[in-house]
Amino acid sequence: MRFRKLRLKNWKNFEDTGEVEIPDRLFLVGPNASGKSNFLDAFRFLHDLAASFQEAVARRGGVGALRCLAARRDSDIELRAELEGQEGKRWTYEVAFNQDKQRPPLLKREFVALNGQTLLDRPNDDDRADPDRLTQTYLEQVNVNREFRDLATFFASIRYLHIVPQLVREPDRSVGRTHDPFGGDFLEQVAKTPERTRQSRLGRIKAALQVAIPQLQEIELWRDARGTPHLRGKYEHWRARGAWQTEGQFSDGTLRLMGILWAVMDGQGPLLLEEPELSLHPGVVRVLPQMLARAQRRTGRQVFLSTHSPDLLNDEGIGLDEVLLLIPGREGTEVRTAGSQQDICALLAGGLPLADAIIPMTAPGQAAQLALFADK
Amino acid sequence: MSMLNQLVISAAVEGSVDEAVIRRLIGHVGLTPGPIYGKKGKDDLRKKIRAYNLAAQHAPWVILVDLDNDADCALALRQAWLSNPAPNLCFRVAVRQVEAWLMADRETLAKFLGIPQDKIPNNPEGLPNAKREMAKLAQASRSREIRDDMARRPGSGCAVGPAYPSRLIEYAQKHWRPAVAAQRADSLRRAIACLKQLSACLKQPSR
């Protein structure tokens, strides 16, 4: 299954995005705080929603924290996704919710359609008879989601990754979390993977890393005396037999690249990456779009990422329909595909690389003022 | 020359496919590629060419740029860009895109793309846009993977497919035969000759 369209209303930075076409690969660009992460968070929200509506909202600080600042007071938050499944099945999922003071968040609407036929339209008579039912989606309940369980399974398969190297090195800080998006349980995840799969993935990661780090000879999972898993790598060295280093000594870039490569091989659902360029050499960053394009051709999974990197955007295989520009304004952030911008198309026709056409549109107008920050 | 006793040559190119090609050519004439500069498009290369030329007064350099439709012939473009190249600089122009050089080895390219050999133009340097032609050839591929990776995706506003560069790099690295291609692409033949001459000069013990 794949996302095809998404519409967000009153969701964080977005008062109303309108219908946004979602291609197989998505590059989100925009100034700082324009809502790139919050756009990705809409997908994570759907992921969380498949487990628990209440928790999905609570984890984000409640409806008040989710609602767009530009929204009218107390207006509902709405997400609407259109998806394409196997054999061309067209799915629609829509959810709207709100929250009264001192009350748990309540659904205002939950709607599911398959090929234009309504499968679910809430609130229904049962909900009206017992409003407490509106504290849960049908999506999260196995006993009522049978007709659209594929949808719930698909949402649950969405993966988000933003590896924070410090958390990988000190997993204690995120103890007990599984699939921690910041990499706190990354080593646990690697350790839990069946050995043959793990070996084969680490082998591929080693081969890929050797391009960036030629001294690297081996990578393996290793448990210390207390049984705690570590990744360690063997580096070619002036000592004849090389030297082993564990993740504690890996560079930030090595850890982040390992995390990205692992995530690309792990799972089937959409993969969300937050600024994958961080800590990486521009020469490596430049190749990421190609790596993702080829990985996704093989696996069919969608990849959505946010970026500030000209090196990443300069890849000549990136289509204008794959780039979403987030442009903040008084009425919240506007979302436009690069292809809808005639000026961008003109700049490209005139020979500008994609990044040169796009990055200036997303740069803060007064950035130069920042230089004066420490002046009296 | 270098710490490793190899003859190292620096290069400046427009993009990643050009990089793969120039690396092959440097290896082909028995030199070792050093740092590869540029890779930010043609305009960027032109802006920096004086700096590259200056650097070439101290170490060997090669610059590769596509002719495109910027000038009638390679010579005109070279003179417009750089009237006074350093002796250690090999400034080469691909007619009209580096894709033409890759297309000039028809046999291996046909196999790589999964198309009949006679679909590949006989005179690649005569193509007004070899990149577009390459994407079109990929469109006719028997392999779905090649089509998905390389052929233009409708609605993308992009001349080539999403994994076009990495596919061509793969081809340039593993299959392309510069010596064979040189027989069908004169600008390539001259580029190889220029690099060979530079290589021979560098290898003279008097230096």
Side-chain angles (χ1 to χ4, degrees), chain B residues 114-188:
Chain B
I115 55 172
Q117 190 174 321
D118 57 17
K119 287 265 192 272
I120 299 179
N122 228 331
N123 174 20
E125 291 192 319
L127 294 167
N129 191 330
K131 176 180 289 202
R132 199 176 301 157
E133 182 69 26
M134 185 71 89
K136 242 169 76 186
L137 290 175
Q139 178 72 60
S141 171
R142 285 187 296 272
S143 142
R144 214 201 77 185
E145 295 181 358
I146 290 285
R147 292 197 303 270
D148 286 355
D149 279 352
M150 295 181 68
R152 204 177 77 86
R153 197 168 47 78
S156 70
C158 190
V160 298
Y164 175 92
S166 59
R167 277 289 182 185
L168 275 194
I169 291 168
E170 188 186 338
Y171 169 70
Q173 284 175 344
K174 294 189 193 154
H175 311 286
W176 184 57
R177 298 167 300 174
V180 174
Q183 293 164 19
R184 216 177 272 277
D186 201 51
S187 59
L188 172 61

Side-chain angles (χ1 to χ4, degrees), chain A residues 85-154:
Chain A
Q86 280 172 341
E87 294 142 19
K89 282 182 185 165
R90 287 175 296 112
W91 292 92
T92 305
Y93 183 79
E94 195 179 320
V95 64
F97 56 94
N98 212 323
Q99 185 170 23
D100 289 334
K101 279 203 182 79
Q102 315 297 333
R103 299 265 305 141
L106 284 185
L107 293 170
K108 295 293 175 173
R109 181 170 159 83
E110 186 182 22
F111 174 86
V112 182
L114 173 59
N115 296 329
Q117 290 226 317
T118 304
L119 298 183
L120 177 71
D121 196 355
R122 300 176 71 196
N124 52 24
D125 291 345
D126 291 340
D127 295 326
R128 281 182 277 270
D130 177 9
D132 277 358
R133 293 166 52 95
L134 291 169
T135 58
Q136 292 187 331
T137 60
Y138 273 30
L139 188 75
E140 72 197 75
Q141 302 176 60
V142 246
N143 51 346
V144 284
N145 74 7
R146 203 168 73 98
E147 283 181 287
F148 48 93
R149 181 135 345 125
D150 287 357
L151 211 51
T153 313
F154 175 72

Side-chain angles (χ1 to χ4, degrees), chain B residues 79-92:
Chain B
Q79 280 171 347
W81 276 41
L82 193 64
S83 49
N84 194 11
N88 269 344
L89 172 68
C90 192
F91 178 22
R92 303 317 307 180

Side-chain angles (χ1 to χ4, degrees), chain B residues 58-142:
Chain B
H58 308 281
W61 270 72
V62 54
I63 297 176
L64 174 62
V65 55
D66 286 350
L67 175 61
D68 296 320
N69 292 305
D70 294 358
D72 286 340
C73 65
L75 188 66
L77 183 136
R78 277 165 52 196
Q79 280 171 347
W81 276 41
L82 193 64
S83 49
N84 194 11
N88 269 344
L89 172 68
C90 192
F91 178 22
R92 303 317 307 180
V93 180
V95 176
R96 295 193 171 255
Q97 287 85 21
V98 80
E99 276 86 350
W101 288 6
L102 297 175
M103 253 179 235
D105 181 4
R106 297 170 80 206
E107 192 187 330
T108 59
L109 183 68
K111 221 166 131 194
F112 181 78
L113 291 180
I115 55 172
Q117 190 174 321
D118 57 17
K119 287 265 192 272
I120 299 179
N122 228 331
N123 174 20
E125 291 192 319
L127 294 167
N129 191 330
K131 176 180 289 202
R132 199 176 301 157
E133 182 69 26
M134 185 71 89
K136 242 169 76 186
L137 290 175
Q139 178 72 60
S141 171
R142 285 187 296 272

Side-chain angles (χ1 to χ4, degrees), chain A residues 269-329:
Chain A
L271 175 62
L272 316 174
L273 297 171
E274 196 96 64
E275 297 182 33
E277 68 265 21
L278 293 179
S279 307
L280 299 181
H281 188 279
V284 175
V285 174
R286 254 177 241 146
V287 190
L288 290 179
Q290 288 296 302
M291 187 272 286
L292 295 172
R294 295 177 72 136
Q296 96 181 129
R297 193 237 312 122
R298 247 169 31 87
T299 60
R301 79 195 290 200
Q302 291 179 296
V303 181
F304 311 144
L305 60 89
S306 65
T307 183
H308 286 294
S309 165
D311 292 301
L312 194 144
L313 289 171
N314 262 344
D315 184 80
E316 66 174 318
I318 298 178
L320 288 178
D321 56 343
E322 296 181 298
V323 179
L324 279 190
L325 293 169
L326 272 52
I327 303 179

